[in-house]
Amino acid sequence: MTNRIKSAHHVSGFESIFKCPICDSSMSVYELQSLVCANNHTYDFSKQGYINMLSHSIKTKYGNDLFEARRKLIAEGHFFEPLSSAIAQIIKEQKNPAFILDTGCGEGSHLSSICDTVSADLGNPITGVGIDISKEGILAAAKNYTNKVWLVADLAKMPFQDEQFDIILNILSPSNYAEFKRLLKDDGLVIKVVPQTDYLKELREVVYDEPEKQAYSNADTVDLFKENFQMISTSRIRYTIDLDKPFIHALVRMTPLTWATPEEKLKDFLDKDSAEITVDLEVLIGKKVN
């Protein structure tokens, strides 16, 4: 069975969660080929199994190289494993967390790891849906993780009916809180992950000369989250991880921190045989305000 057919079969089991991004009407899977709305707007399953639901193509700075590096670091280097474990634990404590949406999912490693852990530990199937505006990211996700739903879509107008998701993940990614509130079930949770002060400090010290840029503040981001959701809890996850040369190169390719940095400035860092890197994150958990 091809990835296209597998994905169409999978999506046909819960096609009622979708709505057309053009006309807002309901959608259904047609002949295991396309997702089609009541007004005949049609979105084909790609051969890799994802669906592109953008009305027009959008260029992003996030290309194949970045997503390959990110997957290497996450899936092979276990760079964010303590974070994934912590999020999985939060989700396992919820009542029947059947539908999880990852907004800005990139190449899908976070969502896949979290869903698989929760599903195995609870003994229940979990439906993981990942969306990203980058076609390259979603293409990589669909190639590597075939038992999830992967969509190229816009966070400003997500192609889902209201109140469909038990959990909305937003990991080191832009947010759209109006859409999050629309899509979240009344008893659902939004889990947002933001950098804390020491996040990638060893790399920041190479990239930035100004001391104020070498540390990171997320105070404005946290305040905005509190304005939109009732804060249930917040926790800090901080650890160091030792990376060898291939993973150091993957880290540099993965992070937008280095995009505007001249190659010669990064040379000494890239030449290291190993480097200890600090991961410092804050996990915000919120629910809808009644």
Side-chain angles (χ1 to χ4, degrees):
M1 196 187 293
T2 64
N3 280 0
R4 178 190 281 134
I5 299 295
K6 274 188 209 166
S7 183
H9 265 298
H10 187 48
V11 170
S12 64
F14 44 88
E15 58 194 8
S16 62
I17 74 169
F18 292 93
K19 76 168 184 178
C20 179
I22 295 174
C23 67
D24 292 343
S25 62
S26 59
M27 307 192 80
S28 57
V29 174
Y30 178 71
E31 292 188 346
L32 298 180
Q33 301 252 350
S34 311
L35 198 56
V36 182
C37 84
N39 291 315
N40 239 20
H41 297 122
T42 301
Y43 301 90
D44 294 334
F45 288 88
S46 71
K47 70 177 181 180
Q48 295 86 2
Y50 70 88
I51 314 171
N52 189 339
M53 300 190 77
L54 287 178
S55 55
H56 58 283
S57 62
I58 295 175
K59 281 199 169 186
T60 74
K61 291 182 178 179
Y62 296 84
N64 285 333
D65 191 50
L66 179 144
F67 290 116
E68 282 172 16
R70 183 174 133 153
R71 183 169 186 274
K72 181 178 181 66
L73 207 59
I74 298 173
E76 295 175 33
H78 310 291
F79 191 72
F80 288 112
E81 197 167 87
L83 174 67
S84 294
S85 297
I87 292 174
Q89 186 57 43
I90 293 162
I91 295 172
K92 283 187 288 184
E93 291 166 5
Q94 302 311 299
K95 185 180 175 184
N96 301 322
F99 283 86
I100 300 175
L101 173 66
D102 187 1
T103 57
C105 67
E107 42 59 71
S109 295
H110 286 307
L111 179 65
S112 183
S113 170
I114 290 163
C115 285
D116 291 353
T117 300
V118 173
S119 180
D121 290 353
L122 293 183
N124 296 325
I126 301 292
T127 299
V129 181
I131 81 163
D132 202 286
I133 208 163
S134 168
K135 181 180 172 182
E136 286 81 5
I138 293 297
L139 174 60
K143 277 182 178 176
N144 291 300
Y145 308 112
T146 57
N147 57 344
K148 309 289 182 290
V149 182
W150 304 111
L151 306 172
V152 186
D154 190 349
L155 253 63
K157 190 171 173 55
M158 289 188 265
F160 308 110
Q161 304 284 356
D162 295 355
E163 299 185 358
Q164 295 298 317
F165 294 96
D166 302 289
I167 306 288
I168 293 178
L169 302 176
N170 188 233
I171 302 172
L172 301 171
S173 182
S175 305
N176 187 300
Y177 291 145
E179 280 289 87
F180 290 6
K181 285 185 268 193
R182 180 181 73 79
L183 297 177
L184 193 65
K185 292 179 182 177
D186 283 341
D187 59 351
L189 293 181
V190 172
I191 302 173
K192 181 172 177 64
V193 179
V194 294
Q196 254 287 3
T197 316
D198 291 336
Y199 182 61
L200 307 184
K201 69 175 183 175
E202 296 82 3
L203 185 54
R204 299 180 77 87
E205 286 164 5
V206 173
V207 171
Y208 298 120
D209 299 321
E210 309 91 333
E212 64 272 15
K213 286 189 176 179
Q214 291 175 359
Y216 185 93
S217 171
N218 60 25
D220 291 347
T221 306
V222 175
D223 287 345
L224 188 60
F225 186 85
K226 287 178 180 175
E227 284 172 25
N228 283 277
F229 296 98
Q230 179 185 339
M231 184 82 90
I232 301 299
S233 70
T234 175
S235 59
R236 188 170 181 175
I237 296 174
R238 189 185 187 284
Y239 57 94
T240 58
I241 185 166
D242 199 47
L243 301 182
D244 62 18
K245 193 184 282 281
F247 291 112
I248 292 170
H249 282 248
L251 175 66
V252 169
R253 287 185 4 242
M254 177 195 82
T255 175
L257 269 178
T258 59
W259 283 355
T261 308
E263 187 86 20
E264 59 270 18
K265 198 168 187 180
L266 294 166
K267 186 178 183 305
D268 287 347
F269 189 78
L270 288 167
D271 284 346
K272 288 174 181 279
D273 290 325
S274 67
E276 195 170 77
I277 301 295
T278 303
V279 181
D280 188 12
L281 302 165
E282 188 167 6
V283 181
L284 314 174
I285 304 173
K287 68 176 186 178
K288 282 205 248 189
V289 179
N290 294 326

